[in-house]
Amino acid sequence: MCDKVFEEDATQEEVYAGTTRPLVEAVLRGHNATVFAYGATGAGKTYTMVGPEDAADPGQQGVMVRALNELFGQAAHLGDRVTLSYLEIYNENIRDLLNPGGPAGSAGGSLELREDQAGGVRVAGLTEADTRSTAEVLQLLHRGNRARTVEPTAANRASSRSHALLSVRLTRAPTPAAPRALSAPSGRLYMIDLAGSERASNTKNRGKRLQEGGHINRSLLALGNCINALAGGARYVNFRDSKLTRLLKDALTGDCRAVMIAHVSPGERHGDETRNTLAYAHRAGTITSRAGQYRDIVSDLRAEISRLRAKLAEGAEGTDSSSPSAVGPPVSMPTDASTQSGGGPGGPATNPALTRLRDDLVATFREQMRLRRTLLDIDAQLLRLDSETDRQQMILSRANKLYQAQAGAPSTAGTTRTSYRAARSTRSTRGPPSTIASTIADTETSDGESGSPPGSPMRRALYALESIEHERSRLVDLRAKTERDLERARGQAARLEDELPLQASSGEERELLSLVLRVHELEAERLALQGERELRRHELRRRDLLLMRYDRQRHICDEIITRQRRLIEDGRLSLPPDLHDLYRLYQKEIHAAAYSAFSPYSAHGLTDAYGSLGSTFTADSTGRGLYTAQAGADSMDVRTSARTNELPAIRRGERMYRRGTRGQRGHGDGGGGRAGDSASRSSGRSPNSSNGSDWEVATLATLPSVMGRCTSRPSGEARTACSRRSSPSPGLTTALCPPASAASGAPAR
Ligand SMILES: Nc1ncnc2c1ncn2[C@@H]1O[C@H](COP(=O)(O)OP(=O)(O)OP(=O)(O)O)[C@@H](O)[C@H]1O
């Protein structure tokens, strides 16, 4: 669930290094990044983000101070400009923590949110402090922290009653002191100390405190809804429900890496809050989509292009302005012949050292291209495995229920579910899939009593999951190795570029750089296209899964209605007229659907719908997933049952109708719709991409990844935290921290 968990004795430095340092590095490379502290009141969010109020010991300083120190240190070194703003949202009012009184004329210091034409949100009148001195910026931060709304509650002696948002913007300005000027775009880091979620019964808040708690919970709920929508891949996410979500829109979408540090208290009495926090963090964690990694690869490449452009522009400054455009591509793409023979971009080079350098440069960039494509390929395979895992999980949980019902063995099913959930959690921590193996062993040993019979859907799903886990850990390792190789190749290219001015005249140097730039540009376009194509495929798989899920939900609802009706009829209960009308409407609907059910499309739809339980997944030697469809229920059975058992049969008919319609719409091939769909999945092709159908496909808006930090109570209960994933994917991260009641002497909750 969490990418990293921090033990109770984890130091502030460890938590910072495990969660936020990679974000600071990303910001220095021109990305946007966000770190949130989330958790119940008193769980230690402010301690993590800010540090204790009287932190004389630098070791106690929180994430904000550490990140600012590091950013300012690097920025001063590079001559970059850093600006900072700090605000709080208290009772849905925005207050400038660097200027708590607000600008003249503001109502009680409350600032307004304004939307610009591009849909971006800004806070009117918010102070953007511009400083190059680390000491000064820390002073500003402390001043802002002192201005925050803090009140004592039963749960926390100094409870922050507001959400605090610290935003640091890094701007690369071209100055003579900054030789790498324009080498990367500007980046922004948001650091957010959310107010704690709270239960009135625990906090014993009354009056004003209770009202604050209501605002806090409402905005956290709005944030949770956005997270849920993003995690579910929704096309429309409602950020407008609270000021917090409006402000965080940029941080939650687009090219923004994010870490959520979820704070929990492992004490038993905090069980409910811990569970809620973990569920919230887990949901946030699922926003992290591998989809974001495509954009990451491409955006790194684009940053490299900007750097090369800047370098070319710098080189052009001192040369004749009538010479060929320094930034434009004066050379054509290298052909294999030209690059291999040493024939350069501008004709054969006479200087052997320069020829060698050019060949090395081209070879290094070719290697980088190859590695980037490999990364993209691995990500595509991982995406497929993610979808397949979800599918097999659904099959498993369905099969579990069936066995529970048939064998009357809730204990085994329960064990399987629990074990599998644990097994699934090994996915993110890259642990061995041993839990799945032991679950399989469990079900095997309990055969005949309550376990699943050999060859059953449950057993097949477990085996499929086991092979998926093996494949996933192989791919994750391969990805890590490829990233290391890419980093090495980048270093090698940088060294060769540094050697260029020594070996080449400025004209030759610019030509070579133009060549490299052009290669990068073409590569970026290619990768972007490839990535978007893969995202569309993923979106189609996600929608297929969603349809399966809806089918399941409808099936359960139908079952409930049928049984309730039986109860009503058997007990001769009289119905309220409106309910009676609803039943009639329902009956009409399913009858209408039943007629359509026997359309030519139905057989395919039904086979696919029911066959889902019997389909299996295997991975071939290249790691690509193969689907093997197996026969499900056949349409004759259903027609028979339609006569003998009206309600359930009609329900099935309706499902057939919907499937048939979808297949027809997607492929324009009538009854072959779903079959075509299955076939194209088997071959790894998207039905959508293959025929240019009119399906609308939404691309997931993703955060890079979610990290978590869980700190437990200082009194000896665990302090735990979750940290960022190994791969630098964009997303949200989550973490957990302890309530300070023990340390602070606040009353125990
Ligand atoms: N890891 C820790 N080590 C030592 N003390 C801690 C730790 N975590 C929290 N505390 C202490 O616990 C108390 C409560 O922590 P804090 O104020 O950070 O909680 P919070 O989650 O921000 O609560 P709220 O949401 O109510 O503002 C503080 O006195 C803090 O110093």
Short mmCIF file of all heavy atoms in Angstrom, two decimals, residues 14-73:
data_model
loop_
_atom_site.label_atom_id
_atom_site.label_comp_id
_atom_site.label_asym_id
_atom_site.label_seq_id
_atom_site.Cartn_x
_atom_site.Cartn_y
_atom_site.Cartn_z
N GLU A 14 15.76 11.14 7.92
CA GLU A 14 15.41 9.93 7.15
C GLU A 14 14.08 10.12 6.43
O GLU A 14 13.91 9.73 5.27
CB GLU A 14 15.32 8.72 8.09
CG GLU A 14 16.68 8.16 8.42
CD GLU A 14 16.65 7.21 9.61
OE1 GLU A 14 15.60 7.12 10.29
OE2 GLU A 14 17.67 6.58 9.86
N VAL A 15 13.14 10.74 7.15
CA VAL A 15 11.83 10.95 6.53
C VAL A 15 11.96 11.92 5.35
O VAL A 15 11.41 11.69 4.27
CB VAL A 15 10.82 11.47 7.56
CG1 VAL A 15 9.51 11.86 6.89
CG2 VAL A 15 10.57 10.42 8.63
N TYR A 16 12.74 12.96 5.56
CA TYR A 16 12.94 13.93 4.47
C TYR A 16 13.60 13.24 3.26
O TYR A 16 13.14 13.37 2.13
CB TYR A 16 13.80 15.11 4.96
CG TYR A 16 14.23 16.00 3.83
CD1 TYR A 16 13.30 16.84 3.20
CD2 TYR A 16 15.55 16.00 3.37
CE1 TYR A 16 13.69 17.65 2.14
CE2 TYR A 16 15.93 16.80 2.31
CZ TYR A 16 15.00 17.62 1.69
OH TYR A 16 15.37 18.40 0.64
N ALA A 17 14.69 12.51 3.56
CA ALA A 17 15.44 11.88 2.46
C ALA A 17 14.56 10.87 1.72
O ALA A 17 14.64 10.74 0.50
CB ALA A 17 16.69 11.22 3.00
N GLY A 18 13.70 10.17 2.48
CA GLY A 18 12.90 9.12 1.85
C GLY A 18 11.69 9.64 1.11
O GLY A 18 11.10 8.93 0.30
N THR A 19 11.26 10.84 1.42
CA THR A 19 10.02 11.31 0.79
C THR A 19 10.22 12.54 -0.08
O THR A 19 9.73 12.60 -1.21
CB THR A 19 8.96 11.68 1.86
OG1 THR A 19 9.51 12.71 2.69
CG2 THR A 19 8.60 10.49 2.73
N THR A 20 10.94 13.52 0.42
CA THR A 20 10.91 14.83 -0.24
C THR A 20 12.16 15.16 -1.04
O THR A 20 12.08 15.92 -2.00
CB THR A 20 10.63 15.92 0.82
OG1 THR A 20 9.55 15.49 1.63
CG2 THR A 20 10.27 17.25 0.21
N ARG A 21 13.30 14.60 -0.62
CA ARG A 21 14.52 14.97 -1.36
C ARG A 21 14.39 14.69 -2.86
O ARG A 21 14.74 15.53 -3.69
CB ARG A 21 15.74 14.26 -0.76
CG ARG A 21 17.01 14.65 -1.50
CD ARG A 21 18.27 14.26 -0.77
NE ARG A 21 18.50 15.03 0.43
CZ ARG A 21 18.99 14.52 1.56
NH1 ARG A 21 19.27 13.23 1.64
NH2 ARG A 21 19.20 15.28 2.60
N PRO A 22 13.85 13.51 -3.25
CA PRO A 22 13.72 13.27 -4.70
C PRO A 22 12.85 14.32 -5.38
O PRO A 22 13.05 14.63 -6.55
CB PRO A 22 13.06 11.90 -4.77
CG PRO A 22 13.30 11.27 -3.44
CD PRO A 22 13.39 12.37 -2.45
N LEU A 23 11.89 14.87 -4.63
CA LEU A 23 11.04 15.90 -5.22
C LEU A 23 11.83 17.18 -5.44
O LEU A 23 11.68 17.86 -6.47
CB LEU A 23 9.85 16.21 -4.30
CG LEU A 23 8.87 15.08 -4.03
CD1 LEU A 23 7.68 15.58 -3.24
CD2 LEU A 23 8.38 14.48 -5.34
N VAL A 24 12.68 17.51 -4.47
CA VAL A 24 13.51 18.72 -4.61
C VAL A 24 14.40 18.57 -5.84
O VAL A 24 14.55 19.50 -6.64
CB VAL A 24 14.34 18.94 -3.33
CG1 VAL A 24 15.36 20.05 -3.53
CG2 VAL A 24 13.42 19.28 -2.16
N GLU A 25 14.95 17.37 -6.00
CA GLU A 25 15.80 17.14 -7.18
C GLU A 25 14.99 17.32 -8.46
O GLU A 25 15.46 17.89 -9.44
CB GLU A 25 16.41 15.74 -7.12
CG GLU A 25 17.53 15.67 -6.09
CD GLU A 25 17.83 14.25 -5.63
OE1 GLU A 25 17.27 13.30 -6.21
OE2 GLU A 25 18.62 14.11 -4.67
N ALA A 26 13.74 16.83 -8.42
CA ALA A 26 12.89 16.97 -9.61
C ALA A 26 12.62 18.44 -9.90
O ALA A 26 12.62 18.88 -11.06
CB ALA A 26 11.58 16.22 -9.41
N VAL A 27 12.37 19.22 -8.86
CA VAL A 27 12.09 20.64 -9.05
C VAL A 27 13.32 21.32 -9.65
O VAL A 27 13.20 22.16 -10.55
CB VAL A 27 11.69 21.30 -7.70
CG1 VAL A 27 11.63 22.81 -7.83
CG2 VAL A 27 10.34 20.77 -7.25
N LEU A 28 14.48 20.93 -9.19
CA LEU A 28 15.71 21.52 -9.74
C LEU A 28 15.88 21.17 -11.21
O LEU A 28 16.53 21.89 -11.96
CB LEU A 28 16.93 21.04 -8.94
CG LEU A 28 17.07 21.70 -7.55
CD1 LEU A 28 18.05 20.93 -6.69
CD2 LEU A 28 17.51 23.15 -7.68
N ARG A 29 15.25 20.07 -11.63
CA ARG A 29 15.32 19.69 -13.05
C ARG A 29 14.18 20.32 -13.84
O ARG A 29 14.00 20.05 -15.02
CB ARG A 29 15.27 18.17 -13.20
CG ARG A 29 16.54 17.46 -12.78
CD ARG A 29 16.61 16.08 -13.42
NE ARG A 29 15.46 15.28 -13.10
CZ ARG A 29 15.33 14.53 -12.02
NH1 ARG A 29 16.31 14.47 -11.14
NH2 ARG A 29 14.25 13.83 -11.80
N GLY A 30 13.33 21.11 -13.14
CA GLY A 30 12.28 21.83 -13.87
C GLY A 30 10.90 21.22 -13.76
O GLY A 30 9.98 21.63 -14.46
N HIS A 31 10.71 20.22 -12.89
CA HIS A 31 9.38 19.62 -12.73
C HIS A 31 8.63 20.33 -11.60
O HIS A 31 9.22 21.04 -10.80
CB HIS A 31 9.50 18.15 -12.35
CG HIS A 31 10.07 17.31 -13.45
ND1 HIS A 31 9.33 16.90 -14.53
CD2 HIS A 31 11.30 16.81 -13.62
CE1 HIS A 31 10.10 16.18 -15.33
NE2 HIS A 31 11.31 16.11 -14.80
N ASN A 32 7.32 20.07 -11.56
CA ASN A 32 6.54 20.50 -10.40
C ASN A 32 6.41 19.33 -9.46
O ASN A 32 6.36 18.17 -9.90
CB ASN A 32 5.14 20.94 -10.83
CG ASN A 32 5.19 22.20 -11.67
OD1 ASN A 32 6.15 22.96 -11.56
ND2 ASN A 32 4.20 22.41 -12.49
N ALA A 33 6.33 19.63 -8.17
CA ALA A 33 6.22 18.53 -7.20
C ALA A 33 5.44 19.01 -5.98
O ALA A 33 5.38 20.20 -5.69
CB ALA A 33 7.61 18.06 -6.79
N THR A 34 4.84 18.04 -5.31
CA THR A 34 4.02 18.35 -4.13
C THR A 34 4.26 17.32 -3.05
O THR A 34 4.35 16.12 -3.34
CB THR A 34 2.51 18.29 -4.49
OG1 THR A 34 2.27 19.17 -5.56
CG2 THR A 34 1.64 18.68 -3.32
N VAL A 35 4.37 17.79 -1.81
CA VAL A 35 4.38 16.84 -0.70
C VAL A 35 3.27 17.24 0.27
O VAL A 35 3.16 18.40 0.65
CB VAL A 35 5.78 16.75 -0.03
CG1 VAL A 35 6.32 18.09 0.41
CG2 VAL A 35 5.75 15.81 1.16
N PHE A 36 2.41 16.27 0.60
CA PHE A 36 1.32 16.51 1.54
C PHE A 36 1.60 15.78 2.84
O PHE A 36 2.11 14.67 2.80
CB PHE A 36 0.02 15.80 1.10
CG PHE A 36 -0.55 16.19 -0.19
CD1 PHE A 36 -0.19 15.55 -1.36
CD2 PHE A 36 -1.52 17.16 -0.24
CE1 PHE A 36 -0.77 15.87 -2.55
CE2 PHE A 36 -2.11 17.48 -1.43
CZ PHE A 36 -1.74 16.84 -2.59
N ALA A 37 1.15 16.36 3.94
CA ALA A 37 1.10 15.58 5.19
C ALA A 37 -0.37 15.36 5.49
O ALA A 37 -1.14 16.31 5.58
CB ALA A 37 1.75 16.36 6.31
N TYR A 38 -0.75 14.11 5.61
CA TYR A 38 -2.17 13.78 5.86
C TYR A 38 -2.26 12.91 7.10
O TYR A 38 -1.35 12.13 7.39
CB TYR A 38 -2.76 13.04 4.65
CG TYR A 38 -4.20 12.66 4.86
CD1 TYR A 38 -5.21 13.57 4.64
CD2 TYR A 38 -4.53 11.39 5.36
CE1 TYR A 38 -6.53 13.25 4.89
CE2 TYR A 38 -5.85 11.05 5.61
CZ TYR A 38 -6.84 11.99 5.37
OH TYR A 38 -8.14 11.67 5.62
N GLY A 39 -3.35 13.00 7.83
CA GLY A 39 -3.54 12.11 8.97
C GLY A 39 -4.54 12.70 9.95
O GLY A 39 -5.00 13.83 9.80
N ALA A 40 -4.85 11.92 10.98
CA ALA A 40 -5.82 12.38 11.98
C ALA A 40 -5.18 13.48 12.82
O ALA A 40 -3.96 13.65 12.83
CB ALA A 40 -6.22 11.21 12.87
N THR A 41 -6.01 14.22 13.50
CA THR A 41 -5.48 15.29 14.34
C THR A 41 -4.54 14.71 15.40
O THR A 41 -4.80 13.64 15.96
CB THR A 41 -6.64 16.10 14.98
OG1 THR A 41 -6.08 17.12 15.79
CG2 THR A 41 -7.54 15.22 15.84
N GLY A 42 -3.45 15.39 15.62
CA GLY A 42 -2.48 14.96 16.63
C GLY A 42 -1.57 13.83 16.16
O GLY A 42 -0.75 13.31 16.93
N ALA A 43 -1.66 13.46 14.90
CA ALA A 43 -0.85 12.32 14.43
C ALA A 43 0.58 12.71 14.09
O ALA A 43 1.41 11.84 13.82
CB ALA A 43 -1.53 11.67 13.22
N GLY A 44 0.89 13.99 14.08
CA GLY A 44 2.28 14.40 13.86
C GLY A 44 2.58 15.03 12.51
O GLY A 44 3.73 15.10 12.09
N LYS A 45 1.56 15.55 11.85
CA LYS A 45 1.77 16.14 10.51
C LYS A 45 2.65 17.39 10.60
O LYS A 45 3.62 17.54 9.85
CB LYS A 45 0.42 16.51 9.87
CG LYS A 45 -0.51 15.34 9.67
CD LYS A 45 -1.85 15.76 9.13
CE LYS A 45 -2.66 16.59 10.10
NZ LYS A 45 -3.05 15.90 11.32
N THR A 46 2.29 18.26 11.54
CA THR A 46 3.05 19.51 11.65
C THR A 46 4.48 19.20 12.09
O THR A 46 5.43 19.84 11.64
CB THR A 46 2.35 20.46 12.64
OG1 THR A 46 1.00 20.60 12.22
CG2 THR A 46 3.01 21.82 12.66
N TYR A 47 4.60 18.20 12.94
CA TYR A 47 5.95 17.81 13.37
C TYR A 47 6.79 17.41 12.15
O TYR A 47 7.94 17.81 12.02
CB TYR A 47 5.84 16.65 14.36
CG TYR A 47 7.18 16.19 14.87
CD1 TYR A 47 7.79 16.81 15.96
CD2 TYR A 47 7.85 15.14 14.25
CE1 TYR A 47 9.03 16.40 16.42
CE2 TYR A 47 9.09 14.73 14.69
CZ TYR A 47 9.68 15.35 15.78
OH TYR A 47 10.91 14.95 16.23
N THR A 48 6.19 16.65 11.26
CA THR A 48 6.93 16.21 10.07
C THR A 48 7.24 17.39 9.14
O THR A 48 8.35 17.52 8.64
CB THR A 48 6.11 15.18 9.28
OG1 THR A 48 5.87 14.07 10.12
CG2 THR A 48 6.83 14.71 8.04
N MET A 49 6.25 18.23 8.92
CA MET A 49 6.42 19.28 7.91
C MET A 49 7.23 20.46 8.43
O MET A 49 8.04 21.02 7.70
CB MET A 49 5.06 19.79 7.43
CG MET A 49 4.22 18.75 6.72
SD MET A 49 5.06 17.93 5.35
CE MET A 49 5.08 19.19 4.11
N VAL A 50 6.97 20.82 9.67
CA VAL A 50 7.60 22.05 10.18
C VAL A 50 8.67 21.72 11.23
O VAL A 50 9.69 22.38 11.31
CB VAL A 50 6.50 22.96 10.80
CG1 VAL A 50 7.09 24.24 11.33
CG2 VAL A 50 5.42 23.25 9.78
N GLY A 51 8.41 20.71 12.04
CA GLY A 51 9.29 20.40 13.17
C GLY A 51 8.68 21.01 14.43
O GLY A 51 7.74 21.78 14.35
N PRO A 52 9.23 20.64 15.58
CA PRO A 52 8.66 21.19 16.81
C PRO A 52 8.88 22.71 16.86
O PRO A 52 9.83 23.22 16.27
CB PRO A 52 9.42 20.48 17.92
CG PRO A 52 10.54 19.76 17.27
CD PRO A 52 10.32 19.73 15.80
N GLU A 53 7.97 23.36 17.56
CA GLU A 53 7.99 24.83 17.61
C GLU A 53 9.35 25.38 18.04
O GLU A 53 9.88 26.30 17.45
CB GLU A 53 6.93 25.26 18.62
CG GLU A 53 6.05 26.39 18.11
CD GLU A 53 5.00 26.71 19.14
OE1 GLU A 53 4.25 25.77 19.54
OE2 GLU A 53 4.93 27.85 19.55
N ASP A 54 9.92 24.75 19.08
CA ASP A 54 11.15 25.27 19.67
C ASP A 54 12.36 24.43 19.21
O ASP A 54 13.21 24.08 20.01
CB ASP A 54 11.03 25.22 21.20
CG ASP A 54 10.51 23.86 21.65
OD1 ASP A 54 10.12 23.08 20.76
OD2 ASP A 54 10.50 23.58 22.87
N ALA A 55 12.38 24.09 17.90
CA ALA A 55 13.44 23.20 17.41
C ALA A 55 14.81 23.87 17.39
O ALA A 55 15.24 24.38 16.35
CB ALA A 55 13.09 22.68 16.04
N ALA A 56 15.46 23.90 18.55
CA ALA A 56 16.80 24.47 18.60
C ALA A 56 17.76 23.50 17.90
O ALA A 56 18.71 23.90 17.23
CB ALA A 56 17.21 24.71 20.04
N ASP A 57 17.44 22.22 18.05
CA ASP A 57 18.28 21.18 17.45
C ASP A 57 17.96 21.07 15.95
O ASP A 57 16.83 20.73 15.58
CB ASP A 57 17.96 19.87 18.19
CG ASP A 57 18.61 18.68 17.52
OD1 ASP A 57 19.47 18.89 16.65
OD2 ASP A 57 18.23 17.54 17.87
N PRO A 58 18.96 21.32 15.09
CA PRO A 58 18.67 21.25 13.64
C PRO A 58 18.19 19.87 13.22
O PRO A 58 17.48 19.72 12.21
CB PRO A 58 20.02 21.58 12.99
CG PRO A 58 20.92 22.06 14.08
CD PRO A 58 20.34 21.69 15.39
N GLY A 59 18.54 18.85 13.99
CA GLY A 59 18.09 17.50 13.66
C GLY A 59 16.58 17.34 13.72
O GLY A 59 16.01 16.40 13.18
N GLN A 60 15.91 18.26 14.40
CA GLN A 60 14.45 18.17 14.56
C GLN A 60 13.70 18.94 13.47
O GLN A 60 12.48 18.93 13.43
CB GLN A 60 14.05 18.79 15.91
CG GLN A 60 14.65 18.08 17.09
CD GLN A 60 13.62 17.15 17.71
OE1 GLN A 60 12.78 16.60 17.01
NE2 GLN A 60 13.69 16.97 19.00
N GLN A 61 14.45 19.65 12.63
CA GLN A 61 13.76 20.47 11.62
C GLN A 61 12.93 19.61 10.67
O GLN A 61 13.33 18.50 10.33
CB GLN A 61 14.80 21.24 10.80
CG GLN A 61 15.43 22.36 11.61
CD GLN A 61 16.57 23.00 10.86
OE1 GLN A 61 17.14 22.40 9.95
NE2 GLN A 61 16.94 24.21 11.27
N GLY A 62 11.80 20.18 10.27
CA GLY A 62 10.89 19.40 9.44
C GLY A 62 11.21 19.50 7.95
O GLY A 62 12.18 20.13 7.53
N VAL A 63 10.33 18.89 7.19
CA VAL A 63 10.52 18.77 5.74
C VAL A 63 10.63 20.14 5.06
O VAL A 63 11.46 20.35 4.18
CB VAL A 63 9.33 17.97 5.17
CG1 VAL A 63 9.15 18.20 3.70
CG2 VAL A 63 9.50 16.49 5.47
N MET A 64 9.78 21.08 5.51
CA MET A 64 9.77 22.39 4.83
C MET A 64 11.14 23.06 4.93
O MET A 64 11.69 23.55 3.95
CB MET A 64 8.71 23.29 5.45
CG MET A 64 7.29 22.91 5.08
SD MET A 64 6.13 24.06 5.85
CE MET A 64 4.57 23.47 5.20
N VAL A 65 11.68 23.08 6.16
CA VAL A 65 12.97 23.75 6.38
C VAL A 65 14.06 23.05 5.56
O VAL A 65 14.87 23.70 4.89
CB VAL A 65 13.33 23.73 7.88
CG1 VAL A 65 14.68 24.38 8.11
CG2 VAL A 65 12.25 24.42 8.68
N ARG A 66 14.05 21.73 5.60
CA ARG A 66 15.10 20.98 4.89
C ARG A 66 15.01 21.22 3.38
O ARG A 66 16.02 21.41 2.71
CB ARG A 66 14.96 19.48 5.20
CG ARG A 66 15.41 19.15 6.60
CD ARG A 66 14.98 17.76 7.04
NE ARG A 66 15.10 17.68 8.48
CZ ARG A 66 16.22 17.37 9.12
NH1 ARG A 66 17.29 17.04 8.45
NH2 ARG A 66 16.28 17.36 10.44
N ALA A 67 13.78 21.18 2.87
CA ALA A 67 13.63 21.36 1.41
C ALA A 67 14.07 22.77 1.01
O ALA A 67 14.75 22.95 0.00
CB ALA A 67 12.18 21.13 1.02
N LEU A 68 13.68 23.75 1.84
CA LEU A 68 14.06 25.13 1.50
C LEU A 68 15.58 25.28 1.53
O LEU A 68 16.17 25.91 0.66
CB LEU A 68 13.43 26.11 2.50
CG LEU A 68 11.95 26.41 2.25
CD1 LEU A 68 11.39 27.30 3.34
CD2 LEU A 68 11.74 27.06 0.90
N ASN A 69 16.20 24.71 2.56
CA ASN A 69 17.67 24.77 2.66
C ASN A 69 18.31 24.21 1.40
O ASN A 69 19.22 24.81 0.83
CB ASN A 69 18.14 23.93 3.86
CG ASN A 69 18.34 24.80 5.08
OD1 ASN A 69 18.74 25.95 4.96
ND2 ASN A 69 18.06 24.25 6.26
N GLU A 70 17.81 23.05 0.99
CA GLU A 70 18.44 22.39 -0.16
C GLU A 70 18.19 23.17 -1.45
O GLU A 70 19.11 23.37 -2.25
CB GLU A 70 17.89 20.96 -0.28
CG GLU A 70 18.77 20.10 -1.14
CD GLU A 70 18.66 18.62 -0.77
OE1 GLU A 70 18.25 18.30 0.35
OE2 GLU A 70 18.99 17.82 -1.65
N LEU A 71 16.94 23.60 -1.62
CA LEU A 71 16.61 24.35 -2.84
C LEU A 71 17.42 25.63 -2.93
O LEU A 71 17.98 25.97 -3.97
CB LEU A 71 15.12 24.70 -2.84
CG LEU A 71 14.20 23.77 -3.58
CD1 LEU A 71 12.75 24.19 -3.39
CD2 LEU A 71 14.52 23.76 -5.07
N PHE A 72 17.48 26.35 -1.79
CA PHE A 72 18.20 27.62 -1.81
C PHE A 72 19.70 27.40 -2.01
O PHE A 72 20.35 28.17 -2.71
CB PHE A 72 17.92 28.41 -0.53
CG PHE A 72 16.74 29.31 -0.70
CD1 PHE A 72 15.47 28.80 -0.57
CD2 PHE A 72 16.90 30.63 -1.03
CE1 PHE A 72 14.36 29.60 -0.77
CE2 PHE A 72 15.79 31.44 -1.24
CZ PHE A 72 14.52 30.92 -1.10
N GLY A 73 20.22 26.34 -1.39
CA GLY A 73 21.65 26.05 -1.55
C GLY A 73 21.97 25.86 -3.03
O GLY A 73 22.87 26.48 -3.58
#
